[in-house]
Amino acid sequence: MPDESFGEMFTSMLSVNQAVSAERKLIDHLIIYIEHEAQRLEDIKRFFSRVTSLHDGIYNEPSDPIANPIAAFKLVKRLKSEWLNVVHSTEAEENIKVLREDYRRMESSLPKLEDLRGAAHGLMRLQDVYNLHVESLVRGHFQQISDPVDFYKLSVSDMLSGDDCFLVGKVAYDLEDYYHSVLWFEEAVRLFRGTEWSPENEGTLEDALDHLAFSHFKTGNISHALSLSRELLLHDPMNRRVHFNVEKYEKLLNENLPATSSGLTLKRPDGIYLRTRNAYEQLCQTKGSQPIRREIISLQPYVVLFHGFVTQAEAKNIRKYAMPGLRRSVVASGMNQATAEYRISKSAWLKESAHEVVGKLDQRITLVTGLNVQPPYAEYLQVVNYGIGGHYEPHFDHATSDSSPLYRLKTGNRVATIMIYLSPVQAGGSTAFIYANFSVPVVQNAALFWWNLHKNGQGNVDTLHAGCPVIVGNKWVANKWVHEYEQEFRRRCSLNPEE
């Protein structure tokens, strides 16, 4: 694979798959380093064996060993030359230098700090939207707080380490999100207590105790903050800052402040979409229904699902031709477009000339909708790949402001949306219509169609929808947005088959 930046790796599962290839390459470099180091260590063992045998043999003799001029010379030589070569081995420096250079050459194609933070946010998003136990996530299971049965069961699971949990907690902590930091630091402390520290870890038990204590303090749980700080002092008795904290916590408890008990309920922080959050998350947790080929999901708003809209080969080709152009997805921001935390994905735009399958798709959309989908009366096909915990929070597809960049096409607002599911998703990833109170699961090769505007051109508020976070799977969709002008509005797909 080329050594070029994946860029914002957490926003696309395709980039995560590329990261697997990158790590395989790093493993190959590490194997070479280990082989060289193993040979060097064998040489050191031979030197060790030779020197210890001398001390067990000739230097243990009752007669003075230094009386032997040969033994004396060899001793001086070893101490001045041989030990120096062992301790300051250029071979060791060369081995690690080669490994570091190999890593540096690949560094541009490896995850950045934003990717790590984004991946941590993805785990927290899954925790929140699907109401998952943090402890179950740590064990590699997706178990809801309200249900002991796994929401989705993996055939092969992977567990999180204490250091993994510490890093997720640290991302929340740095944002002063102590609701999440408490839950993740608690798991970090539990796991660090039962294992030895590893050199690849960034966090330690002491770090986790320190951050967890302060997180509890910020949530008002003073007694727990005090208990953890005292435990920390057992590991780091000379830490003056922690001594000061202990005194402060003891003073607060003695003053009998109301919010100092250990029985406090942590409150999840409010988000931008607080008004629709509960409905959105409940819809994401429903698994929906998957009936026949042409399925009317809802009459208000009018939403229909066309099963088998594309073939497996067509879906594969669309994904293939979109891959080189994938970039971080953007949303309308005033008159411009920008990336946003509430849309975690990568997208690419395909013209009809990109591949014949795109043209066939346009013809098929026209056939079932009666709409003109040729630019500029419709936008190019947008192909989207979702990332870790990939989602798109509640939004309208149509413009809600006259300054929207959608109007730059000068063909009016988005009258209709057709969204094609290009891949299966094992769990999560549904499309939730918030105000209309229903959700549609990912149905591979199917297409979801809905009208965004009323016949008078006003936006239909019932089309407020969201892409639920993907729990397990690699979600690919293709979007086609049709604009108002030059449309006949026959709305063929809204007719009953009998009519």
Side-chain angles (χ1 to χ4, degrees), residues 50 54 59 69-79 82:
R50 180 161 59 87
L54 286 170
Y59 293 156
I70 295 175
F73 167 77
K74 293 184 71 173
L75 173 64
V76 172
K77 176 180 177 288
R78 279 198 312 278
L79 292 174
E82 295 178 21

Side-chain angles (χ1 to χ4, degrees), residues 340-408:
E341 174 63 23
Y342 58 83
R343 189 183 189 188
I344 301 302
S345 62
K346 284 186 179 178
S347 56
W349 298 87
L350 292 183
K351 297 181 179 180
E352 186 178 344
S353 59
H355 192 271
E356 62 178 0
V357 69
V358 181
K360 288 181 179 179
L361 210 56
D362 284 350
Q363 294 172 11
R364 202 170 301 157
I365 294 171
T366 297
L367 187 66
V368 299
T369 65
L371 297 173
N372 183 351
V373 299
Q374 295 303 308
Y377 307 114
E379 296 168 45
Y380 294 122
L381 188 70
Q382 185 198 53
V383 183
V384 182
N385 180 222
Y386 288 81
I388 300 170
H391 74 137
Y392 192 172
E393 287 188 358
H395 65 282
F396 295 106
D397 278 1
H398 61 273
T400 56
S401 166
D402 291 340
S403 62
S404 170
L406 290 179
Y407 289 116
R408 290 176 188 166

Side-chain angles (χ1 to χ4, degrees), residues 90-364:
T90 57
E91 188 180 1
E93 293 173 3
E94 283 298 318
N95 290 345
I96 194 64
K97 181 181 177 182
V98 170
L99 180 63
R100 286 172 178 164
E101 285 176 353
D102 289 335
Y103 184 87
R104 270 195 296 270
R105 277 196 295 270
M106 294 186 62
E107 201 161 11
S108 64
S109 63
L110 299 177
K112 309 297 186 292
L113 180 60
E114 182 191 5
D115 295 308
L116 178 59
R117 289 173 176 163
H121 278 298
L123 290 181
M124 289 185 273
R125 186 179 307 117
L126 295 178
Q127 168 197 344
D128 292 342
V129 173
Y130 296 102
N131 197 28
L132 301 177
H133 266 300
V134 173
E135 186 179 353
S136 74
L137 277 174
V138 171
R139 290 185 286 107
H141 294 279
F142 300 95
Q143 189 179 97
Q144 293 180 304
I145 293 172
S146 58
D147 189 350
V149 179
D150 282 7
F151 185 81
Y152 177 79
K153 194 169 183 64
L154 289 165
S155 56
V156 179
S157 60
D158 193 7
M159 296 192 296
L160 295 172
S161 68
D163 194 57
D164 296 333
C165 296
F166 175 77
L167 285 173
V168 176
K170 188 69 164 55
V171 169
Y173 181 92
D174 290 342
L175 294 173
E176 300 183 0
D177 174 7
Y178 302 111
Y179 166 82
H180 287 103
S181 69
V182 163
L183 296 170
W184 286 94
F185 283 143
E186 282 181 345
E187 288 302 308
V189 166
R190 180 179 67 82
L191 291 167
F192 275 139
R193 279 175 177 152
T195 57
E196 291 185 4
W197 184 81
S198 299
E200 67 268 20
N201 287 353
E202 183 173 320
T204 64
L205 174 59
E206 290 82 356
D207 292 331
L209 286 169
D210 197 6
H211 285 81
L212 179 57
F214 188 75
S215 296
H216 274 301
F217 165 68
K218 294 298 289 185
T219 60
N221 194 337
I222 310 300
S223 59
H224 208 163
L226 175 60
S227 173
L228 291 163
S229 297
R230 286 172 173 166
E231 181 181 350
L232 178 55
L233 285 178
L234 296 177
H235 299 277
D236 188 7
M238 304 305 293
N239 193 316
R240 297 178 62 184
R241 178 178 55 80
V242 179
H243 275 289
F244 174 79
N245 287 344
V246 166
E247 293 175 2
K248 180 171 69 174
Y249 299 155
E250 288 174 339
K251 182 179 179 182
L252 289 171
L253 285 173
N254 289 333
E255 292 173 355
N256 294 318
L257 292 180
T260 56
S261 72
S262 59
L264 292 170
T265 301
L266 292 173
K267 184 179 182 298
R268 181 177 160 190
D270 295 338
I272 301 173
Y273 296 98
L274 184 62
R275 188 164 58 91
T276 57
R277 186 172 72 183
N278 289 341
Y280 159 54
E281 293 177 357
Q282 286 171 9
L283 290 168
C284 289
Q285 291 172 33
T286 63
K287 304 202 175 169
S289 59
Q290 297 186 31
I292 50 178
R293 188 165 187 79
R294 180 179 181 273
E295 177 185 0
I296 295 176
I297 304 293
S298 168
L299 293 174
Q300 180 52 38
Y302 184 82
V303 179
V304 64
L305 185 69
F306 296 99
H307 294 265
F309 192 80
V310 292
T311 66
Q312 292 276 63
E314 287 173 332
K316 182 178 179 181
N317 277 328
I318 294 169
R319 297 196 304 266
K320 175 184 174 182
Y321 284 97
M323 283 178 188
L326 286 176
R327 300 291 183 271
R328 177 83 178 267
S329 295
V330 296
V331 297
S333 177
M335 296 186 66
N336 301 309
Q337 293 183 320
T339 60
E341 174 63 23
Y342 58 83
R343 189 183 189 188
I344 301 302
S345 62
K346 284 186 179 178
S347 56
W349 298 87
L350 292 183
K351 297 181 179 180
E352 186 178 344
S353 59
H355 192 271
E356 62 178 0
V357 69
V358 181
K360 288 181 179 179
L361 210 56
D362 284 350
Q363 294 172 11
R364 202 170 301 157

